Amino acid sequence: MGEVEENLKKLIAMKGVTAVLVMTSDGAVIRTTMEPGQAVHYAAMYAPLVQESRIAVTELGGNSLKTIRLRTTKHEVVIIPGAKYSFLLLQQPDASFDTT
């Protein structure tokens, strides 16, 4: 879990990030800076999106899913899926996020 904590700290410190959620592929919340109820809600909404996106990428001949990004007028959701867990960030819609 040291790796999770280290990455969580880095993501929280990024400009424009307002919340971070770490979840399993099943949508179980591992760590978060959100209120518990909000974290469970976001994990339940976005875990299936990550699973379906992985399937779509594989079926389209891709190697792996790197990032999912959704932008609304309220905030931007950035999901970084991993093998064991995924990071979900909420950030201000005008903040820039570079995954490279």
Side-chain angles (χ1 to χ4, degrees):
M1 284 303 244
E3 181 183 349
V4 171
E5 293 295 327
E6 183 179 319
N7 287 325
L8 185 68
K9 287 178 185 176
K10 287 179 185 177
L11 294 171
I12 292 168
M14 292 176 60
K15 179 184 175 188
V17 172
T18 58
V20 179
L21 166 68
V22 184
M23 65 182 171
T24 65
S25 60
D26 297 339
V29 177
I30 297 172
R31 290 272 289 132
T32 186
T33 60
M34 299 176 186
E35 293 294 322
Q38 183 184 27
V40 170
H41 179 72
Y42 273 91
M45 284 192 309
Y46 288 108
L49 176 64
V50 173
Q51 291 172 350
E52 291 298 321
S53 297
R54 281 189 170 134
I55 292 167
V57 167
T58 301
E59 288 181 3
L60 293 171
N63 291 345
S64 64
L65 180 63
K66 301 292 183 192
T67 306
I68 299 171
R69 196 173 189 167
L70 301 168
R71 186 177 179 133
T72 69
T73 55
K74 185 176 178 181
H75 56 253
E76 184 172 34
V77 178
V78 179
I79 305 170
I80 307 163
K84 295 181 183 177
Y85 44 79
S86 297
F87 289 91
L88 182 145
L89 314 177
L90 295 183
Q91 68 179 14
Q92 298 166 352
D94 58 349
S96 64
F97 180 82
D98 186 12
T99 59
T100 57

